[in-house]
Amino acid sequence: MTQQLLRIGDCRKVLEELEPESIDCVVTSPPYWGLRDYGTEPLIWDGKKDCKHEWGTNTYCPTKCGTQGSTETKKWPKMQKANSNPPPTRFCSKCGAWKGQLGLEPGPDLYIKHLCDIFDQIKRVLKPTGTCWVNIGDTYAGSGGAGGDYNEGGLREGQPKYKQGNADVLPKSLVQIPSRFVLEMMKRGWINRNEIIWHKPACLPDSTKDRFTVDFEKMFFFVKNQRYWFEQQFEPLTESTKQRMKYDQWVADVIDPRGRNKRCVWTISSKPYSEAHFATFPLALIDTPIKAGCPKEVCPKCGFLREAIWEKVQGNTTGIKKNLVGYTDCDCNAGYEPGWVLDPFAGSGTVLEYCRLNGYNGIGIELNPEYEKLITERARLNTPQLDIFLEEAIE
């Protein structure tokens, strides 16, 4: 039996309510910087909690707030050609707090700070043996979003470059959001185990004529300790390798007959969900992270994580092979429960749907109440109510 839990609200507040070291695996894709307005109410970031904020009309910090990117002075561009109003984002003239949506910060440094502040809380709720998988995309400076005023048609006369710290990021340049993110995560104590390339063989058409079409995104695999739970994943062996294993003992000894260790470039077609959410990742993308990073059996009493025991044996016609002979065990005799997977940016509920279909416990947090019905249908929850946990036992 598994449970699928949903919470509608600010993930920063919801994460504070979760028990420390209670989550086995985090799989998520946060809002990308400067690409889209999700239409949610602006939140307050940084500053002083007891401040009676006074929100100015400027989009820069007039005080020394002590936060990266807070002194950014570039004005907001038009978010869409048909929309001449700036997005709802302001700095407090008294304490320097920022009010806006995650992903619509006026500079990438402030976005990275806000995002990694959230992952500081995720680190608190993740078990010492837990894994964390983050899909995050890049942005072109001046692509019409928060990054600047440049549109692919050309740079308008007299338009300034985007100022990033002590260096300029020229329009048309990749801002390197994924690299900035992973470097800041490592500064905050995360261990970066892999940089995974999600190759999209059927990516969306691109009207740009002066660069190559981007047909991939990145996923980063983080852990908080050097020892963690991980189940090795395999790719099929080639036919030539299989034949060599039959007749070459050395090859049979050094190659795992279950396949080769899975590589870091995953070719997975995008399969947008048919409903309203337009930034959905496919179920196939999160299959490997959850299988590799979340245990199927956890002792509810002592927290023991079961692992498979494989034994290498000689087959009659297939050469050396490995048989599953059992699992590690504890002495509690309390039975075992599925591990918990968390998605703090649940979106349309892809992670919860995967957990329901594959026998994991799942927790989803989503800020936008408009996605509530969508998530409920995919995860087959009971009729949800705002600001409470929901659960359903699934056979």
Side-chain angles (χ1 to χ4, degrees):
M1 298 178 65
T2 65
Q3 299 179 77
Q4 307 307 317
L5 312 178
L6 171 64
R7 180 69 181 270
I8 300 295
D10 183 353
C11 68
R12 297 173 300 174
K13 296 180 180 179
V14 177
L15 286 168
E16 290 178 352
E17 300 171 8
L18 298 182
E19 292 293 327
E21 300 184 353
S22 59
I23 299 298
D24 295 282
C25 179
V26 175
V27 180
T28 194
S29 183
Y32 296 174
W33 179 67
L35 291 186
R36 55 178 62 94
D37 183 345
Y38 285 91
T40 57
E41 290 297 319
L43 303 176
I44 297 176
W45 306 76
D46 309 316
K48 297 179 180 180
K49 292 183 178 181
D50 59 349
C51 178
K52 295 182 179 179
H53 301 298
E54 294 182 1
W55 305 107
T57 57
N58 55 310
T59 61
Y60 62 92
C61 178
T63 62
K64 295 182 179 179
C65 315
T67 59
Q68 292 182 338
S70 60
T71 57
E72 172 58 49
T73 59
K74 185 169 176 24
K75 300 299 182 183
W76 274 100
K78 295 180 181 179
M79 294 303 294
Q80 299 177 357
K81 292 181 179 179
N83 179 16
S84 59
N85 297 318
T89 171
R90 298 290 184 266
F91 282 100
C92 173
S93 60
K94 298 172 65 177
C95 73
W98 181 75
K99 186 177 183 180
Q101 294 179 45
L102 178 66
L104 295 185
E105 290 85 349
D109 279 353
L110 192 59
Y111 165 72
I112 294 299
K113 179 192 180 298
H114 291 163
L115 187 58
C116 289
D117 285 349
I118 293 173
F119 276 92
D120 285 346
Q121 296 187 57
I122 290 172
K123 190 177 181 182
R124 182 189 69 85
V125 303
L126 189 66
K127 291 181 180 179
T129 53
T131 62
C132 179
W133 312 75
V134 186
N135 167 227
I136 187 168
D138 211 343
T139 304
Y140 279 91
S143 59
D149 293 326
Y150 175 82
N151 292 315
E152 292 286 21
L155 182 65
R156 292 191 288 275
E157 184 178 357
Q159 185 178 18
K161 296 178 288 187
Y162 171 73
K163 189 74 173 179
Q164 171 56 42
N166 295 322
D168 290 330
V169 179
L170 291 168
K172 304 185 73 170
S173 175
L174 278 170
V175 182
Q176 294 296 332
I177 292 295
S179 298
R180 295 171 189 267
F181 169 69
V182 72
L183 289 173
E184 181 62 24
M185 287 282 280
M186 290 192 294
K187 286 181 182 179
R188 298 186 184 214
W190 290 91
I191 299 171
N192 179 27
R193 294 297 288 143
N194 278 119
E195 177 178 296
I196 297 157
I197 302 299
W198 170 21
H199 168 233
K200 303 177 181 180
C203 62
L204 292 174
D206 193 334
S207 61
T208 307
K209 301 296 191 295
D210 60 352
R211 61 170 170 82
F212 303 108
T213 296
V214 179
D215 61 349
F216 72 94
E217 290 185 21
K218 292 184 178 181
M219 175 179 282
F220 294 99
F221 169 25
F222 297 101
V223 294
K224 55 190 287 186
N225 291 303
Q226 294 185 31
R227 295 181 64 84
Y228 52 92
W229 192 93
F230 184 85
E231 185 170 291
Q232 187 179 10
Q233 303 295 301
F234 298 93
E235 296 178 345
L237 296 173
T238 63
E239 288 301 320
S240 61
T241 300
K242 291 179 182 178
Q243 291 300 319
R244 288 192 62 189
M245 289 174 64
K246 292 181 181 180
Y247 305 107
D248 191 324
Q249 186 62 46
W250 180 85
V251 174
D253 287 340
V254 299
I255 295 179
D256 195 307
R258 291 171 293 177
R260 67 179 190 178
N261 193 39
K262 191 172 180 67
R263 272 40 175 179
C264 291
V265 177
W266 303 349
T267 300
I268 300 172
S269 297
S270 300
K271 294 181 179 179
Y273 191 57
S274 60
E275 300 296 335
H277 195 273
F278 44 76
T280 304
F281 47 47
L283 287 169
L285 179 64
I286 60 176
D287 179 63
T288 295
I290 295 179
K291 284 181 178 178
C294 187
K296 267 292 186 71
E297 295 184 289
V298 182
C299 175
K301 186 175 181 180
C302 71
F304 182 83
L305 310 178
R306 298 190 84 186
E307 296 182 356
I309 302 174
W310 296 87
E311 182 180 63
K312 187 177 288 188
V313 298
Q314 180 70 47
N316 295 329
T317 59
T318 58
I320 299 296
K321 63 180 182 179
K322 282 194 174 183
N323 287 339
L324 178 63
V325 297
Y327 293 88
T328 57
D329 210 341
C330 65
D331 299 324
C332 294
N333 296 319
Y336 294 95
E337 299 176 350
W340 285 92
V341 181
L342 168 68
D343 184 356
F345 304 100
S348 63
T350 303
V351 169
L352 289 181
E353 181 183 28
Y354 180 92
C355 290
R356 174 182 66 82
L357 294 173
N358 294 277
Y360 296 91
N361 291 317
I363 299 177
I365 306 172
E366 174 53 41
L367 178 63
N368 194 337
E370 293 183 5
Y371 297 146
E372 186 180 17
K373 183 175 181 293
L374 200 61
I375 299 172
T376 301
E377 292 175 351
R378 296 187 74 184
R380 294 185 184 174
L381 301 173
N382 294 326
T383 302
Q385 298 178 19
L386 297 181
D387 299 323
I388 62 171
F389 278 108
L390 308 169
E391 57 184 87
E392 176 190 39
I394 299 176
E395 297 292 342

